[in-house]
């Protein structure tokens, strides 16, 4: 078994695609409208679905806002330079809700940003928490 995707319901698909693709460097992998069900699915990520876990953005036509609830936590992305990444996001109009710095009671360097629907995304400075997996780099963000 392997994890395939995480699904988020979004109120404005175009704004969400702009955020995840332009701000975070993901690629739109596939998108399909389902007129009979009145919804659109967009799959995004850092690599092909056959080898990578991706995000599924679900837009239910006519629904502009969701209650996020208190069970959802966040998505986490590893970045090479958390400070530069946060600056790029802020300069592009993104929302940094927790500036980069060490987490409480630990040495892992983290920051939190928020997508257009209010979902939290944790940025983790690679190398500060022992992860060898590089999901996103500040270089990807800066060059796009």
């Amino acid at each position: 078994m392997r994890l395939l995707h995480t699904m988020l319901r979004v109120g404005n698909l175009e704004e969400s695609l702009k955020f995840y693709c332009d701000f975070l460097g993901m690629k739109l992998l596939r998108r399909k409208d389902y007129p009979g069900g009145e919804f659109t699915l967009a799959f995004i990520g850092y690599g092909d679905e056959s080898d990578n876990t991706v995000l599924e953005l679900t837009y239910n036509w006519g629904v502009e806002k969701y209650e996020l609830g208190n069970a959802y936590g966040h998505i986490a992305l590893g970045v090479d330079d958390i400070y530069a990444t946060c600056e790029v996001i802020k300069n592009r109009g993104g929302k940094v809700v927790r500036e980069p710095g060490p987490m409480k009671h630990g040495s892992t360097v983290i920051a939190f940003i928020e997508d257009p629907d209010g979902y939290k995304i944790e940025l983790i400075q690679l190398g500060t928490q022992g992860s060898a997996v590089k999901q996103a780099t500040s270089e990807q963000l800066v060059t796009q």
Side-chain angles (χ1 to χ4, degrees), residues 17-106:
L17 286 171
K18 178 181 176 183
F19 175 82
Y20 286 99
C21 294
D22 293 352
F23 288 22
L24 299 180
M26 293 184 188
K27 305 284 186 234
L28 176 61
L29 304 171
R30 61 187 169 103
R31 176 181 176 159
K32 184 171 181 184
D33 292 330
Y34 293 85
E38 297 186 346
F39 66 94
T40 301
L41 301 182
F43 289 82
I44 58 175
Y46 294 110
D48 188 79
E49 290 176 81
S50 62
D51 299 316
N52 296 277
T53 303
V54 300
L55 279 178
E56 171 190 336
L57 302 179
T58 299
Y59 171 63
N60 292 299
W61 301 356
V63 180
E64 295 180 12
K65 187 163 177 64
Y66 290 94
E67 294 297 321
L68 298 184
N70 62 4
Y72 173 79
H74 59 268
I75 298 165
L77 300 175
V79 297
D80 286 330
D81 184 338
I82 198 166
Y83 298 95
T85 300
C86 286
E87 282 306 309
V88 168
I89 290 168
K90 286 192 281 189
N91 290 339
R92 292 182 179 176
K95 188 174 182 182
V96 176
V97 294
R98 190 234 194 241
E99 292 291 334
M103 62 179 277
K104 260 187 186 176
H105 313 293

